């Protein structure tokens, strides 16, 4: 349906836009011209190409993941140092999913560039591809995100901001703030899931005849940090530590399955402190839980300087997921793990919680917008990732470079964006209100009926936390439909990380068991919509509203875009008047922003 409507829309809009100048802002055009110049390259980008030799491989003749992690860390560190202009250390590495293995004789191509700089830390994006020199084929191996911290001995580091030219750079820069937010709440997410959810086991699908005590998989190994293991600052390479961790994790996994396991995913590496040349690193690994076709191995690293030291420093922890593949490259069923009482049972339960979080992250966070259903089930255990997807989807829509100015009436601009599967619009105006005031006034959707006639009533169903809330909205019928519409909306708000970020209110549909569709209303859905507020000067804010139109709303949108209706402008001007009339209501609240 949406494709037919989209084709009709393109034909209808052709005549409308043919006599109208399609304009973008001057700064956006200038940036695009710069980015499109032949030979443009991100100034922080670093590339590494390595030929895989037998010394780099494991027992199957494939590139060892530990060696790959060393190359990834080195490339990312050089990118971070190129931007910072001073030494940098690895702080963390986000989840990595390995899509393909790499064989002897093939080439590994690694690209790294800084996505965003914060105060003294920065997020570096890494892409890994492999290349077969004989067939000239290339394929993606994995993507990774690493956080590096700039370190200078004599003074505190304050990193400069990244200059953004391309749409991709703007998108990654904007979404990096959301990813950073997820990293900071990750530990609390695990705790909340364990405290509030019952973890179901799948014992009936396991091979309980081959029960293996978890203690039989335990591995402990010590490594002495030598000069070749350290970087130019004397600190142990983060990639070297990760390689040692992968080694002991593989041994632990092999003790469970009595075969050669394949590493499929690594959950976030988090470096709690540095180690130097001369340190002894004790690496411990154990299988925490074995599921039907995969197992989680937990690894921790402790450091000490001299044998006489009784206190060891916790350097790092990570969780790795392994599978065992048969001759057809299909995962085999694994034996059941028998956890030890106490800490073993705790690790067993936490592994199940992490598996659920991994699935949520992979589905919600990694899923492309076109692959997401219009409405996703709300679950307290995945609220962090739904909130992330909600805000990041809006930020990615904002960062698009191909918005076209459709019309301008009374200083209200209407932009449109046509893509293969979606038609989007956004409206923009300047309002003489402080950005924080506008943000607070429009954050509470219960006040929206005061200015938006499309909102007949709004009920706050659940205040999830300070930044997220779920609302049930009832709207009047549209386009001759006899039934009014209702929506269940997750509204997520964000304050800016720095002065280049806007305030954000993002909205998308969710499903709740307490608010199922009824015969009284026609259930409406929104994929991605919301407000952004940019500070333009003293008591002056640019207010923008974005909406990625769903099929049921598309006809109404195109009627406004083609000039056959002025309801959009009337509603947006009513929003402006609402902000002006209520701008003094929130003075005490602004002190908390």
């Amino acid at each position: 349906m949406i494709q037919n409507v989209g084709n009709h829309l393109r034909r209808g809009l052709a005549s409308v836009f043919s006599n109208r100048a399609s304009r973008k802002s001057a700064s956006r055009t200038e940036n695009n011209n710069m980015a499109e110049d032949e030979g443009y390259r991100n100034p922080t980008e670093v590339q590494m190409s390595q030929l895989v030799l037998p010394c780099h491989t494991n027992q199957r003749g494939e590139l060892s993941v530990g060696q790959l992690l060393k190359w990834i860390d080195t490339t990312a560190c050089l990118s971070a140092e190129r931007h910072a202009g001073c030494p940098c250390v690895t702080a963390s590495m986000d989840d990595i999913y390995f899509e393909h293995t790499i064989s002897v004789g093939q080439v590994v191509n690694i690209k790294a560039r800084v996505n965003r700089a914060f105060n003294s830390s920065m997020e570096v994006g890494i892409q890994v591809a492999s290349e077969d020199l004989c067939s000239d084929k290339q394929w993606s191996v994995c993507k990774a995100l690493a956080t590096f911290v700039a370190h200078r001995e004599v003074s505190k580091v304050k990193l400069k901001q990244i200059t953004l030219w391309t749409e991709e750079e703007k998108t990654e820069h904007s979404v990096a703030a959301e990813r950073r937010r997820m990293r900071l709440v990750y530990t609390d997410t695990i705790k909340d899931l364990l405290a509030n959810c019952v973890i179901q086991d799948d014992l009936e699908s396991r091979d309980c005849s081959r029960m293996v005590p978890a203690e039989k998989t335990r591995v402990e190994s010590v490594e002495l940090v030598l000069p070749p293991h350290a970087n130019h600052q004397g600190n142990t390479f983060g990639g070297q530590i990760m390689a040692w961790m992968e080694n002991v994790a593989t041994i632990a996994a092999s003790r469970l399955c009595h075969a050669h396991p394949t590493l499929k995913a690594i959950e976030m590496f988090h470096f709690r402190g540095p180690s130097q040349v001369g340190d002894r690193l004790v690496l411990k690994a154990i299988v925490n839980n074995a599921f039907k076709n995969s197992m989680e191995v937990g690894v921790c690293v402790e450091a000490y300087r001299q044998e006489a030291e009784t206190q060891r420093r916790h350097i790092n922890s990570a969780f790795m997921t392994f599978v065992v593949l048969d001759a057809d490259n299909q995962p085999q069923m694994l034996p059941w793990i028998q956890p030890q009482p106490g800490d073993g049972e705790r690790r067993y339960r936490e592994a199940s919680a992490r598996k659920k979080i991994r699935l949520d992250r992979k589905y919600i966070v990694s899923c492309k917008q076109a692959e997401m259903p219009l409405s996703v089930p709300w679950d307290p255990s995945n609220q962090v990732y739904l909130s992330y997807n909600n805000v990041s989807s809006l930020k990615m829509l904002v960062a698009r470079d191909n918005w076209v100015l459709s019309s301008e009436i009374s200083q209200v601009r209407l932009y449109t964006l046509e893509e293969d599967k979606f038609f989007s619009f956004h409206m923009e105006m300047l309002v003489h209100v402080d950005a924080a005031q506008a943000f607070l006034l429009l954050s509470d959707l219960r006040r929206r009926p005061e200015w938006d006639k499309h909102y007949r009533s709004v009920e706050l169903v659940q205040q999830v936390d300070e930044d997220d809330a779920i609302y049930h909205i009832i709207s009047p019928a549209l386009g001759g439909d006899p039934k009014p519409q209702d929506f269940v909306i997750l509204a997520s708000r964000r304050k800016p990380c720095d002065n280049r970020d806007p305030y954000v209110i993002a909205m998308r549909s969710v499903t709740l068991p307490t608010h199922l569709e009824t015969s009284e209303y026609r259930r409406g859905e929104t994929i991605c919509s919301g407000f952004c507020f940019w500070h333009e000067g003293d008591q002056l804010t640019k207010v923008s509203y974005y909406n990625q139109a769903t099929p049921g709303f598309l006809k109404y949108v195109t009627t406004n875009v083609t000039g056959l209706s002025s309801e959009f402008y009337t509603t947006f001007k009513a929003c402006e008047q609402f902000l002006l009339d209520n701008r003094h209501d929130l003075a005490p609240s602004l002190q908390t922003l």
Side-chain angles (χ1 to χ4, degrees), residues 498-512:
D498 58 46
N499 56 14
R500 292 199 298 179
D501 281 348
Y503 290 89
V504 174
I505 304 170
M507 292 172 278
R508 73 152 298 133
S509 291
V510 294
T511 56
L512 281 177

Side-chain angles (χ1 to χ4, degrees), residues 349-513:
R349 291 186 66 246
E350 288 177 351
S352 296
R354 278 188 292 271
K355 181 185 178 185
K356 182 190 185 311
I357 289 175
R358 276 194 297 273
L359 293 173
D360 287 341
R361 268 202 302 247
K362 195 170 183 181
Y363 173 68
I364 297 172
V365 176
S366 304
C367 212
K368 294 179 181 177
Q369 188 68 7
E371 298 169 353
M372 288 288 288
L374 293 184
S375 190
V376 294
W378 171 257
D379 181 346
S381 67
N382 67 13
Q383 72 177 60
V384 171
Y385 308 111
L386 281 176
S387 179
Y388 164 88
N389 181 270
N390 193 15
V391 176
S392 60
S393 295
L394 180 60
K395 287 185 172 184
M396 286 189 278
L397 187 62
V398 173
R400 294 282 196 276
D401 270 344
N402 48 341
W403 286 102
V404 175
L405 178 59
S406 170
S407 59
E408 183 173 355
I409 302 175
S410 303
Q411 297 181 326
V412 175
R413 293 182 171 186
L414 173 62
Y415 294 84
T416 58
L417 173 64
E418 292 185 63
E419 296 176 303
D420 289 341
K421 294 188 177 182
F422 298 109
F423 176 78
S424 307
F425 71 92
H426 100 251
M427 304 192 70
E428 179 180 288
M429 65 181 173
L430 290 176
V431 184
H432 290 279
V433 176
D434 183 78
Q437 287 176 315
F439 170 70
L440 283 174
L441 283 166
L442 298 184
S443 288
D444 188 353
L445 295 191
R446 289 173 297 184
R447 299 199 65 178
R448 189 151 172 176
E450 295 180 34
W451 59 271
D452 189 349
K453 69 176 186 178
H454 302 97
Y455 280 54
R456 197 169 77 187
S457 67
V458 180
E459 171 200 2
L460 176 63
V461 176
Q462 183 180 347
Q463 186 68 51
V464 180
D465 55 30
E466 181 184 355
D467 294 322
D468 297 280
I470 299 175
Y471 295 91
H472 182 224
I473 298 164
I474 297 175
S475 299
L478 284 177
D481 193 327
K483 287 186 180 182
Q485 283 188 304
D486 74 332
F487 300 80
V488 179
I489 297 293
L490 170 66
S492 306
R493 66 178 198 168
R494 296 290 187 271
K495 301 163 191 173
C497 282
D498 58 46
N499 56 14
R500 292 199 298 179
D501 281 348
Y503 290 89
V504 174
I505 304 170
M507 292 172 278
R508 73 152 298 133
S509 291
V510 294
T511 56
L512 281 177

Side-chain angles (χ1 to χ4, degrees), residues 181-201:
R181 187 175 186 270
M182 277 207 308
R183 292 180 197 112
L184 295 175
V185 301
Y186 174 74
T187 302
D188 292 335
T189 303
I190 290 282
K191 289 179 180 177
D192 290 344
L193 183 59
L194 289 169
N196 301 318
C197 297
V198 177
I199 305 298
Q200 300 293 332
D201 212 339

Side-chain angles (χ1 to χ4, degrees), residues 239-269:
Q240 178 63 69
I241 296 176
M242 289 188 275
W244 284 332
M245 294 172 76
E246 186 267 340
N247 177 61
V248 295
T250 302
I251 296 172
S254 299
R255 287 180 175 173
L256 175 71
C257 61
H258 300 295
H260 298 308
T262 299
L263 181 59
K264 296 298 289 184
I266 299 176
E267 193 160 314
M268 187 183 299
F269 285 102

